[in-house]
Amino acid sequence: MSEPSFTLVQLRYFEAAARHLSMTAAARELVVSQSAVSTAIAQLERELGVQLLLRHHARGLSLTTVGQAFHQRVLDFLAHGAELVEAARHAGAGLVGPLAVGCFATLAPFRLPGLLAEFERRHPKVVVAVREGEHSALKAALRSGECEVALLYGYDLDDDIDRVVVDTAPPYALVAADHRLAARETVSLAELADEPMVLLDLPHSREYLQSVLLDAGVVPVIRHRTTGYETVRALVAHGHGFALLNQRPPVDMTYAGARAVPLALTDDVAALEIVVAWMRGVRVTRRAQEFRELCRRLYAH
């Protein structure tokens, strides 16, 4: 039995169609005709002897089970094919090329600036593109290949996503500067039991923050919900309630011009893990490996 014979062009056309789930959108991105994309994919399927895409009249495309698995492999293959070309062109010149990095929205202002500055200092020829988002959006970006690696919290990561822990972020309480407990350095959750709460209302974050209180026997009385980290701090600073957060800025002043005072928790509460994640079974590029290793070095205690 002869080995299958296919071309890089066929793989690129399939990858674009699988990502967009549309021949038309793939053709537009690739600047070729729709028939060229359709023909190339049909030839690829015929050569492999499997169906990769299901064509739905007027409703675009969907991936078969085989197609989904093959798409992940193709992403890996194309990424390393590009890296092979770059290595040949720039032998001895260090890492070059693009790197797509995802970052959880509330981690980004604290972690990304210094991390990117150091990475660019070490690898000036690598062009890093960052996508900020919440947890589910970043997982989807990893699966689609829009991001090769992502910096996010370690909760709710499925079995198809590998990760390495690079740091931890313990929760703390936040109160206004004129709060009765503001002069303290620590507080127990029970001492906040009867007070209103300002909740950071992001998917998974809200469940985690409320669970911290519930595990301590405190039922939160939520007065305000907001998806904005700085909005939480500003509302607390103006006396609208206390908050629980994980990322801690170096100053207490908020955008609204009032102070929000952080207090360490005396309760035995597990810290959130901060991880660098990538798709299991996909061999990441050297650029992504270096980014992952830099995170470990920078955040090592």
Side-chain angles (χ1 to χ4, degrees):
M1 181 177 178
S2 61
E3 291 292 326
S5 176
F6 50 78
T7 68
L8 278 173
V9 169
Q10 290 170 347
L11 294 180
R12 291 193 184 102
Y13 286 14
F14 163 73
E15 192 285 318
R19 179 161 32 88
H20 290 290
L21 295 179
S22 166
M23 296 284 189
T24 302
R28 188 180 303 117
E29 176 186 304
L30 296 164
V31 196
V32 297
S33 68
Q34 183 175 332
S35 62
V37 176
S38 180
T39 299
I41 294 173
Q43 291 172 341
L44 178 63
E45 289 177 319
R46 188 161 50 249
E47 186 63 36
L48 296 175
V50 296
Q51 186 166 7
L52 302 171
L53 293 167
L54 298 175
R55 285 78 166 167
H56 306 288
H57 180 65
R59 291 190 294 115
L61 307 169
S62 62
L63 284 161
T64 64
T65 302
V66 173
Q68 291 175 359
F70 187 68
H71 183 230
Q72 288 298 327
R73 295 296 185 183
V74 168
L75 286 171
D76 185 30
F77 183 86
L78 292 177
H80 285 277
E83 190 173 18
L84 181 63
V85 173
E86 291 164 4
R89 289 175 176 171
H90 304 278
L95 293 181
V96 295
L99 174 62
V101 174
C103 188
F104 190 71
T106 58
L107 285 174
F110 297 95
R111 306 288 174 148
L112 273 182
L115 180 58
L116 292 181
E118 180 61 19
F119 188 82
E120 290 169 5
R121 185 188 69 78
R122 297 183 182 207
H123 308 291
K125 294 184 180 180
V126 176
V127 179
V128 180
V130 175
R131 171 173 177 167
E132 288 185 51
E134 49 85 22
H135 207 71
S136 61
L138 292 178
K139 292 196 296 183
L142 286 171
R143 292 188 174 109
S144 69
E146 293 178 68
C147 295
E148 189 175 3
V149 290
L151 186 69
L152 67 170
Y153 289 117
Y155 52 63
D156 192 41
L157 292 178
D158 306 301
D159 290 341
D160 62 337
I161 296 177
D162 270 332
R163 80 296 309 252
V164 60
V165 177
V166 296
D167 203 359
T168 58
Y172 64 92
L174 194 69
V175 299
D178 59 357
H179 189 276
R180 61 186 175 85
L181 300 173
R184 304 247 304 263
E185 293 185 355
T186 63
V187 67
S188 70
L189 292 171
E191 293 177 276
L192 300 168
D194 298 324
E195 300 198 14
M197 180 182 186
V198 181
L199 179 65
L200 180 61
D201 195 15
L202 291 171
H204 301 294
S205 294
R206 56 176 171 255
E207 290 83 7
Y208 162 75
L209 294 170
Q210 291 179 89
S211 73
V212 169
L213 288 162
L214 292 172
D215 289 346
V218 176
V219 178
V221 181
I222 299 171
R223 183 174 181 182
H224 294 291
R225 296 171 179 264
T226 174
T227 59
Y229 173 87
E230 266 302 320
T231 307
V232 170
R233 296 183 71 244
L235 287 170
V236 169
H238 279 78
H240 293 285
F242 79 95
L244 295 182
L245 294 171
N246 290 82
Q247 295 302 314
R248 184 169 172 173
V251 296
D252 295 343
M253 191 64 67
T254 66
Y255 288 175
R259 291 176 58 238
V261 179
L263 303 174
L265 297 178
T266 59
D267 304 76
D268 184 15
V269 180
L272 275 180
E273 292 180 339
I274 299 173
V275 305
V276 176
W278 64 97
M279 289 306 298
R280 176 165 295 175
V282 175
R283 185 178 53 183
V284 297
T285 62
R286 281 187 56 220
R287 298 183 292 274
Q289 292 173 24
E290 287 296 317
F291 184 87
R292 183 173 63 197
E293 184 57 30
L294 179 61
C295 288
R296 296 179 67 174
R297 292 175 184 171
L298 286 184
Y299 302 140
H301 297 293

